[in-house]
Amino acid sequence: MSIVVNLDVMMAKRKVSLNELSERVNITPANLSILKTGKAKAIRFSTLELICKELNCQPGDLLEWVDDGLPAE
Amino acid sequence: MRLTTLAVLAIAAYVFMILLSMGDLWEGFKLGLADGQDRAHETHFVYLKTKAGFTHYPDSLVNLKTGHKLPISYDQGQLRTPLTETVNQGFTWLKLLEKLAAFAILFVMVYIPILFFKLMRALSRESVFDRRNIKYMRCIGCALLLFYVCGQTMSLIDYLTLKQQFQFAAYELEWDQADALVLLLGFVVLLFAEVLGRGSSIKEEQDLTI
């Protein structure tokens, strides 16, 4: 998929662990891990809002579009 | 809960259907056994059509309750013939094809119930959008289509063979075609497998939405 999730980068910048963030945004570590590793198919606005609020960042800091040359799914 | 109940009811209906056909199966087995032991005679199942149309009754039966002779036309029968009357065509490719079709039908008759029970068991456990269920449904659909094609092939070969051997005054032999409902059911099952496949993709997407 040509949308890259930079959650790990933002977490490293804010020095927050996966478990800590999962507790703060009330998402299971398993689901947060799916998001972090880029396996997620979609993200809800509410989840994005919570993560942005906790990491004090913009959605654009978490999501990035890269041209992989493949057609969109 | 409703899904579980329906799955259990479907299994019960299938078992009931199998039990109903057991009687015919047993009769057929006994006939085959008797035919195998009797080397002088052979039994043929014939499907008939009156030459003059449906409103023509070439035969008659006596009603013992009234003593009246009643006109009747037969649409199928069981012929017992001496083996000497049977035209021996030798081992032709048609006979080979008929045997292959019979084996395929036998295989499908065992394969479909196994897949059906597996599918119903999965559904009774509320596991609907599972890749394995889609596989089961696709296999059942293909097996049903194979069942129809083989059944049709066998009945056509049978019809052609009988036509070479028999000719009757008031009746002509008819090709007893395989049940087209099986063909329709095969396509419907394949269609539902595709629908289930789409549903499964949506569920996977839903599961991976955080």
Side-chain angles (χ1 to χ4, degrees):
Chain A
M1 201 160 71
S2 54
I3 297 291
V4 177
V5 181
N6 291 323
L7 182 63
D8 47 351
V9 178
M10 281 313 293
M11 280 165 62
K13 276 186 187 170
R14 300 288 186 265
K15 293 187 176 63
V16 180
S17 72
L18 188 86
N19 284 331
E20 200 181 329
L21 185 65
S22 76
E23 272 174 28
R24 281 206 246 160
V25 295
N26 203 19
I27 296 171
T28 61
N31 277 345
L32 211 57
S33 176
I34 288 170
L35 192 61
K36 200 180 117 183
T37 50
K39 287 175 188 163
K41 291 266 182 186
I43 181 165
R44 290 188 191 90
F45 279 153
S46 55
T47 311
L48 193 60
E49 187 187 346
L50 281 169
I51 295 171
C52 286
K53 196 175 171 184
E54 285 305 321
L55 296 178
N56 193 23
C57 64
Q58 292 299 315
D61 297 328
L62 295 171
L63 304 172
E64 185 191 353
W65 177 77
V66 286
D67 191 3
D68 58 3
L70 294 171
E73 282 178 25
Chain B
M1 186 62 197
R2 194 187 288 178
L3 193 68
T4 310
T5 314
L6 278 172
V8 171
L9 284 174
I11 290 176
Y14 200 80
V15 170
F16 178 63
M17 201 178 86
I18 289 172
L19 287 176
L20 278 182
S21 63
M22 278 297 180
D24 286 344
L25 198 75
W26 178 241
E27 285 300 318
F29 174 74
K30 281 199 293 188
L31 180 73
L33 201 69
D35 250 13
Q37 284 167 347
D38 181 4
R39 286 164 196 271
H41 293 89
E42 204 174 13
T43 309
H44 301 277
F45 290 93
V46 287
Y47 293 86
L48 305 162
K49 190 168 76 176
T50 48
K51 282 181 180 169
F54 284 116
T55 50
H56 186 67
Y57 303 94
D59 291 295
S60 60
L61 279 179
V62 176
N63 182 0
L64 292 175
K65 291 198 172 174
T66 57
H68 292 149
K69 223 177 183 183
L70 301 171
I72 190 168
S73 73
Y74 299 106
D75 64 356
Q76 54 177 289
Q78 203 172 312
L79 280 179
R80 189 97 175 126
T81 57
L83 258 181
T84 45
E85 260 188 40
T86 307
V87 179
N88 193 4
Q89 296 172 300
F91 193 77
T92 59
W93 64 273
L94 269 182
K95 279 187 177 174
L96 178 70
L97 190 67
E98 192 180 18
K99 278 176 178 58
L100 281 175
F103 273 115
I105 284 180
L106 206 65
F107 167 74
V108 164
M109 279 170 77
V110 176
Y111 189 53
I112 289 180
I114 292 170
L115 289 177
F116 184 77
F117 285 121
K118 278 184 177 176
L119 180 67
M120 287 304 125
R121 195 177 58 184
L123 291 181
S124 66
R125 288 174 183 165
E126 302 274 333
S127 157
V128 182
F129 297 106
D130 195 314
R131 290 273 161 207
R132 273 178 301 181
N133 290 354
I134 301 160
K135 200 181 106 187
Y136 293 153
M137 283 188 85
R138 281 191 185 136
C139 290
I140 290 173
C142 291
L144 283 169
L145 294 182
L146 182 71
F147 187 83
Y148 175 78
V149 170
C150 290
Q152 194 77 319
T153 309
M154 274 182 71
S155 64
L156 178 65
I157 293 170
D158 207 31
Y159 166 69
L160 293 174
T161 315
L162 289 172
K163 217 175 169 189
Q164 277 186 330
Q165 297 177 40
F166 305 109
Q167 194 171 10
F168 308 108
Y171 294 98
E172 58 186 63
L173 287 165
E174 204 176 23
W175 175 16
D176 173 45
Q177 302 217 23
D179 196 354
L181 208 63
V182 177
L183 182 71
L184 177 71
L185 198 65
F187 282 120
V188 168
V189 170
L190 283 178
L191 197 73
F192 271 99
E194 290 312 305
V195 172
L196 204 66
R198 296 277 172 93
S200 176
S201 306
I202 292 169
K203 188 189 174 279
E204 273 173 19
E205 215 165 278
Q206 175 68 27
D207 286 346
L208 290 172
T209 297
I210 312 298

